[in-house]
Amino acid sequence: AGTDGDDNANNAKLLQELADIPDHLRTARYRTVAVFLDTDGTSIECAGIWDGSIAKSPAGSGGFGYDPLFWVESDGCTSAQLSALRKNQLSHRGKAVRDLVEQLAKRW
């Protein structure tokens, strides 16, 4: 929504841009890459992906950014309506960090 935009303005702009887009094309994806770089230059890279869709209107007060619009089909709500525990189980960041911790544990 521009340099003066905030989360609400960004969400409003997204909804405006998608107003005529049919539901089956309102797909969305969060992606995170977590990287550990060792002092010897070797690295471990882990990715987390969370697929969803864009809701027709915002719902929920948890989270930030596009969370009130990110529809989580498995739970029948937006990510802003999830508990913190459930969001961490499903989220791209949670997946990437859990994978990174697992890879680090294997290494040491």
Side-chain angles (χ1 to χ4, degrees), residues 1 24 51 55 60 66 71 74-75 81 83 90 93 95 104:
H24 72 280
D51 289 317
Y66 295 107
W71 184 257
S74 64
D75 290 61
Q81 294 173 294
S83 70
L90 297 173
R93 290 184 188 98
K95 290 174 183 176
L104 289 170

Side-chain angles (χ1 to χ4, degrees), residues 77-93:
C77 63
T78 68
S79 61
Q81 294 173 294
L82 296 171
S83 70
L85 176 63
R86 183 64 176 149
K87 186 175 178 183
N88 285 334
Q89 290 171 338
L90 297 173
S91 82
H92 55 302
R93 290 184 188 98

Side-chain angles (χ1 to χ4, degrees), residues 10-31:
N10 291 337
N11 285 327
K13 181 174 181 175
L14 178 60
L15 288 175
Q16 179 184 4
E17 294 289 328
L18 296 179
D20 297 326
I21 303 299
D23 290 348
H24 72 280
L25 296 177
R26 295 171 71 96
T27 60
R29 173 176 280 169
Y30 283 129
R31 180 185 302 263

